[in-house]
Amino acid sequence: MTDQIETDVVIIGAGPVGLFAVFELGLLDIKCHLIDILPKVGGQCAELYPEKPIYDIPGFPMVTGQGLVDNLMAQIEPFRPTFHLGEMVESVEALGTAEAPLFRVRTSENGTTFLCKAVIIAAGGGSFQPKKPPIDNIEAYEGTGVFYAVRKMEMFRGKKVLIVGGGDSALDWTVNLQPIAKRLTLLHRRDAFRAAPHTVEKMRSLVAAGEMDLQLGQVTALKGEAPVLEGAVIRKDDGSESLVECDVMLPFFGLTMKLGPIADWGLNLHENLIPVDTEKFETSVPGIFAIGDINTYPGKLKLILSGFHEGALAAQKVHRYVYPDKRLTFQYTTSSTSLQKKLGVAA
């Protein structure tokens, strides 16, 4: 058991929304520690699609998942937050009052204990695990021939790639990996897709040009002496089977979200999401906030930019808990010399 760490705020989740919350808190002289179950910062952006382009971040016509995380890390560097990676928050114990919250936060891995005045949950959908196709012995090929995420596109250069799925991830990676793959095949159980129309159109144009293959059916078995993948057996609707030669199979069947211990924190969950108000994004427990994909409220949009907005408003209320006797004056970074000094950019 380590000594208890005292800080102003504990942020649960080190994805983009949690990282930007560090910035908003830092401008208000609020110190924080971040805890994430993943071994690195960035959340799903870094873990699932570090090289996938994102087009709806204000000010960035296009930025990759890892590029966004890198920029956020550079932005919060002046505030020197402390990260506790590879740890999961096991319990959050309320010790204070509604007017003066105080929490003891414990993690399960290293038994780290924190004492803080506010908790910000920025845990995305909780811990997430890829949904695996029901194929015998698929585990024997994982990490060599079967991958559930693309962390580095170069791994697939010159490979015969089979992508399975019909959603955004499957179609996005079909379009992005096709130029570098030796041959790419997209497999879906039916000729209809749940992805963005322009991406589907791009895929169909590649098929029409003979630059990739589209097959309909389901994978029933894998071929090759594990862990080396050589092909996948495809069963079509009419019951016939065929073999698709492949070095790599990427099944994109979505993610299974698991809230884990968050479900036991008394936050009045609604369909595994945390209800919050839209003034300060506080939960039913004073001093505990939820921002990003983990929360729900009327009109909620699951966008990174929405999480940034939520983090900014949450920070304003956190200031009242951390500095109850200090009046908060709103300032702009463009004109406030005091804020510019905190950022290290003042002349």
Side-chain angles (χ1 to χ4, degrees), residues 12-334:
I12 302 171
V17 172
L19 295 178
F20 189 68
V22 174
F23 181 80
E24 291 295 324
L25 294 168
L27 291 177
L28 303 179
D29 295 319
I30 298 171
K31 297 178 174 59
C32 59
H33 285 240
L34 296 92
I35 305 169
D36 201 296
I37 193 170
L38 295 174
K40 59 184 177 182
V41 301
Q44 294 186 40
C45 274
E47 182 71 6
L48 297 181
Y49 47 91
E51 296 190 5
K52 181 178 175 181
I54 305 172
Y55 300 101
D56 61 355
I57 302 298
F60 290 93
M62 189 283 287
V63 63
T64 63
Q66 188 61 54
L68 175 62
V69 172
D70 291 343
N71 281 325
L72 286 164
M73 288 295 287
Q75 188 175 33
I76 66 175
E77 196 278 331
F79 304 118
R80 293 176 173 78
T82 303
F83 293 90
H84 305 265
L85 303 176
E87 297 188 44
M88 182 173 72
V89 175
E90 188 174 67
S91 64
V92 175
E93 180 185 0
L95 305 175
T97 64
E99 294 74 27
L102 188 66
F103 301 95
R104 180 178 291 121
V105 178
R106 289 191 176 94
T107 69
S108 55
E109 294 301 317
N110 298 323
T112 312
T113 302
F114 304 84
L115 193 67
C116 59
K117 296 178 181 177
V119 174
I120 296 179
I121 304 171
S127 62
F128 48 90
Q129 300 172 353
K131 294 179 182 176
K132 299 183 180 183
I135 301 171
D136 288 343
N137 203 36
I138 191 171
E139 294 82 5
Y141 297 94
E142 291 175 353
T144 53
V146 175
F147 299 87
Y148 300 103
V150 178
R151 294 185 174 86
K152 193 171 183 180
M153 289 175 61
E154 280 300 311
M155 289 176 57
F156 306 103
R157 182 175 293 278
K159 303 280 189 182
K160 291 176 284 187
V161 178
L162 172 63
I163 293 179
V164 187
D168 282 315
S169 292
L171 272 292
D172 285 347
W173 283 121
T174 293
V175 170
N176 282 300
L177 290 177
Q178 183 276 329
I180 67 171
K182 181 177 182 180
R183 190 67 183 177
L184 189 141
T185 301
L186 173 64
L187 173 71
H188 190 39
R189 65 185 184 277
R190 56 194 179 92
D191 193 20
F193 300 89
R194 306 178 311 281
H198 72 276
T199 312
V200 176
E201 183 180 335
K202 173 68 173 174
M203 178 273 293
R204 292 197 186 280
S205 68
L206 289 169
V207 173
E211 297 180 9
M212 60 163 284
D213 300 308
L214 171 63
Q215 291 212 29
L216 304 181
Q218 300 183 62
V219 178
T220 58
L222 300 180
K223 294 296 184 180
E225 188 172 340
V228 180
L229 181 65
E230 295 178 359
V233 178
I234 309 302
R235 179 181 294 151
K236 300 180 180 179
D237 282 347
D238 61 8
S240 64
E241 290 189 340
S242 61
L243 179 69
V244 173
E245 292 186 2
C246 58
D247 308 308
V248 172
M249 183 175 78
L250 295 165
F252 291 113
F253 290 4
L255 300 172
T256 298
M257 299 296 184
K258 296 186 176 180
L259 282 183
I262 296 176
D264 302 321
W265 295 349
L267 297 175
N268 298 336
L269 297 181
H270 174 70
E271 296 181 351
N272 275 350
L273 296 172
I274 304 174
V276 292
D277 61 52
T278 53
E279 177 189 359
K280 49 194 180 300
F281 299 94
E282 198 165 17
T283 70
S284 57
V285 178
I288 299 183
F289 301 78
I291 59 177
D293 286 358
I294 195 78
N295 74 14
T296 183
Y297 53 86
K300 168 71 178 184
L301 289 177
K302 288 193 173 185
L303 295 172
I304 294 174
L305 65 88
S306 299
F308 290 165
H309 158 77
E310 294 160 11
L313 291 186
Q316 300 290 305
K317 181 59 182 290
V318 170
H319 184 274
R320 288 177 54 187
Y321 291 139
V322 175
Y323 299 110
D325 300 323
K326 185 184 293 187
R327 181 172 175 268
L328 178 58
T329 302
F330 182 73
Q331 301 178 81
Y332 293 102
T333 56
T334 51

